[in-house]
Amino acid sequence: MKLPERLRRLRRLPLHLILAGLAFSLIDFPPSVRAQAPASTPAPAASAADLARYDRNHNNRLDPDEVAARDADQRAAVAGRTATAPASSPTAAAASSASATGANNDIVTLSPFEVAAGSDTGYYASNTLSGTRIDSKIEDLGASITVVTKQQLLDTAALDLNDIFLYEANTEGTGTFTDFSVGRNGDVNDAVQSSPETANRIRGIGAANIARDNFASDSRIPIDTFNVDSVEISRGPNSNIFGLGNSSGTVNITKSNANVQRDRSQVVLRGDSFDGYRGSFDLNRVLKPDHLAFRLLGLYDSVGYVRKPSQDVTHRLDATLTFKPFPKTTFYADYQSYHNYNRRPNSITPRDTVTFWRNAGSPTWDPLTATAYVNNVAVGTFPQSQDANLPPGLYAQGTGFYNRPGMFIEA
């Protein structure tokens, strides 16, 4: 039997070469080695932006040297961004995705005077303006600063500054602190009743300075979270960066401004077990995408109390306009209306001032002649400039709004 020509050639090979070939064929190589190299795929078509930037000879296509220049620029942009972001972060993932799809990788520089909303995750906020007046990382600031995010305000059902202070360190509101003072005649000034928006303390020193969008604001206009995006609490004398002067601390409110990127419609209703109820709405309309938007927020709030017929009703309206003519230039316009009608209950127990008055000789004061009497005996006249010198037992407020005694007693 005649062997085929291939087998006759194999018989002439040395035995060790045959054995080496068999051993090589039995080796289990990794899939990456065993897999056949894929066929080269054509490069994706160049975009109009790539052609405008890299098509030097204007032949309406990218030649190999032009493709190499484009890829080098993309790799440099991705490397610059991934050097400042962890590999697992959304920034690095977005950079890798942009490189894979050939998207435009131009670097966008954010304003140092505006905190990016993307830096807030849940209750955690990494940046603030309260430390240096520019966008800075909280971890780099040598100050006690807390940022209360919008999500935390919603989850804790916070409505005003006293609700916010209830959950923050080194702060006291009406929930943990009763602000009152006693005058020389035994009269009591109950700040929780007369001015709950200022009845608070930071660091146990005094009431908080109030700023809105980094500008000093009147603390008598209460903070309400219906038009607030976040709250920054800066404790200590470092708060003087706002020029307010109080060394206790500053609360900076970041207001809700019109959004030039998307519309928003929201209605919120709320009730409580003390017969209190409130309703608010939030309407944002984009007039020109990325350039012009208008936002309107409204509130009706009726606070409920155990002691009747106490009441506290507030009507508020906030209209804001955002105009962004250029990528790095933004104008904000804002109008607010605030009306409050209240008859709040006292927060402290009643005090006995009659016994003190009787022990002082049952003093009286005649407003027609400005004459004071003690034990029915005239002790002198006290014109407006001398109201503070009235005998003990007659309540006087000095020369302010209440410039005569607030208590008249007929013996």
Side-chain angles (χ1 to χ4, degrees), residues 54-61 63 66:
Y54 297 102
D55 186 16
R56 299 185 180 90
N57 54 10
H58 305 290
N59 59 355
N60 205 29
R61 68 174 185 272
D63 297 329
E66 297 167 343

Side-chain angles (χ1 to χ4, degrees), residues 66-91:
E66 297 167 343
V67 172
R70 180 195 64 182
D71 294 344
D73 289 348
Q74 291 180 355
R75 286 193 296 271
V78 172
R81 276 183 286 185
T82 55
T84 59
S88 60
S89 68
T91 305

